[in-house]
Amino acid sequence: MQSKNEVVLIFNLTDGSVEKKPYPMESTMTYGRLLALELLREYGEPWANRLDEGNALVLVPGLFAGNPAPSAGRMLLVTQKDGNAGVQICNITGNLPEALGRNGIAAVVIRGRYGKENGIIRISGQEVQLETLPGATGKYTGRIVRALRAVYGKNCAAVGIGPAGERKLSAAAVFSTYAEGYPEYYVPRTRVGDVFGAKGLRAVVVEEDSQARAHILRNTANPERFEILATELANRIRRNEICGNALPSYGAAVLQTGLNDRTVFDQFSDASVLEIQRMTEFDNIHHGCTPLCVIGCLNRHARRQRKIFTSPLAIETGALIRKYFGIDDDELTFRIVKQSEDLGISSAEYIENFRLYAECIGETVTEESLVGGLAEIEKDSSVGRILGSGEAGLRMLYPDRMNKDAREARREPSEREKSLREQIVALDSLGFCIFTAFAIIDNSESWKLLAEMAEARLGGDWTEQKLMEQSRKSLQMEADFRRVQAEAKAGTEIPGFASVLEQYREMKK
């Protein structure tokens, strides 16, 4: 059974009004990043500062989210940067993108500001209601997730904030729930929790029952053809040596030290389901971010003491602690990840911020100081506020002490990087996990397959060139959003991953 005709939901938190606009995507042929940016331009006030009531939040599931496409259950969360400095685009996974797609929701636009705390936007089918989650203030993220499931059902899907977001810390992230099981949620590198907090918004929740999850798919012009093509793509991804072997076996660890450093394989071993079940209360152990993930890098990796790294972010956090501070302690990594998630902060972002802070004040970093920094954030002390302010706050507070190249130097991308950027943005808009890039980037057969899938999904005539045209339009629109020329070029998150793809390309020669 297919979902209803698609709509865009425009919700005004100030007065609780909802506008439901039909969105015939098969006619507009606009989706993903380009759709998100067009909606932000239409409904956000262009000169509003980030935390102003006039700023908007836009949630757009990828074009294939809610369809039986492999590893394509992601969405974009888009808002304005501060100081008229452009647009912030976050790519997140979990069970919300597919829930939005299955319910025929092409996008959610959130405007205004709720006059109270702990606002909940509840979506049931295509109906929307503004509610409140009493007693949520100050509670850890995990408690918020469990409270949402107690109120809206164990199959609900949500994105929302923990304590850091309600305090409007610029380093605050959002959490995103997984389907019922372990892990329950994750806290990605998003840094948009402050906007949720400024709007008085605790979470966006989609109610679903198990029947809907099992039997409803997103509207598709040719569902039978789409499923055949999706199966072919899944096989292509699995046959890739990185997607089908290295990532499922070693997760993001294989990317942390570089594809040419084979010693990383000696540090990790596969974790069995029984081992994980002994550590948790859950029978359902997630290996992928979504049920249709064909790579699977959750709950697969153990190191030394056989403690389980639940996600690539946990492995990344440990790698950053070793790289920056020379501390090789898995127990410390697990503690940092847990405390960061409790507060609603990305653990990797916290490590990056703590390194910059320690450089500014001339402090030698120890295990105790790393843990103590999170305690300061929880106490909402002045030090905690500094650590929660991120790189921008540290630059304002310590303008003469910040190393100019403390983060990766910003530069004009090469032509090769521009090509990679266009391809990655195209994958973003379709809803694919970034790790699928190894099987798709620079592969004409893979892009032809994706174009055929777009045809089956929307109808019409689609080619690789048409997919790239959407990508280029969205990148141009990102550039149009920038008001400060010194700001980084649009999409500066992509060249970092592009370097990994280039390593892979060289390795294949």
Side-chain angles (χ1 to χ4, degrees), residues 50-51 117-118 136-142 144 160-175 185 187-188 190-202 336-347 349-350 353 373-381 383-390:
R50 178 181 177 82
L51 303 185
E117 293 182 328
N118 301 314
T137 302
K139 299 297 190 298
Y140 283 162
T141 304
I144 299 294
I161 57 171
E166 68 189 47
R167 296 171 188 166
K168 298 182 279 294
L169 297 179
S170 59
V174 295
F175 68 78
Y185 66 94
V187 181
T190 54
R191 285 178 294 155
V192 290
D194 57 338
V195 180
F196 272 65
K199 291 187 172 299
L201 181 62
R202 174 62 64 177
I336 295 292
V337 170
K338 176 65 167 60
Q339 288 183 234
S340 298
E341 288 182 344
D342 283 344
L343 296 171
I345 296 174
S346 162
S347 54
E349 285 282 345
Y350 169 71
N353 292 340
L374 287 167
E376 293 298 323
I377 294 175
E378 182 170 2
K379 289 189 294 186
D380 203 24
S381 67
V383 170
R385 283 266 163 185
I386 293 170
L387 288 171
S389 68

Side-chain angles (χ1 to χ4, degrees), residues 234-254:
N235 291 333
R236 182 178 290 272
I237 293 171
R238 289 192 187 101
R239 286 195 300 266
N240 177 266
E241 60 196 322
I242 302 297
C243 298
N245 186 8
L247 282 168
S249 297
Y250 305 105
V254 76

Side-chain angles (χ1 to χ4, degrees), residues 69-82:
S71 300
R74 302 187 75 90
M75 74 176 186
L76 297 166
L77 201 166
V78 179
T79 192
Q80 291 185 174
K81 292 181 180 178
D82 206 1

Side-chain angles (χ1 to χ4, degrees), residues 6 22 36 99 154-155 174 208 217 227 243 300 313 320 340 349 376 379 420 475 500:
E6 299 209 357
K154 65 180 182 180
N155 294 314
V174 295
E208 278 200 310
L217 296 175
E227 192 162 351
C243 298
R300 288 193 181 276
L313 185 62
L320 289 174
S340 298
E349 285 282 345
E376 293 298 323
K379 289 189 294 186
L420 289 173
L475 287 167
V500 176

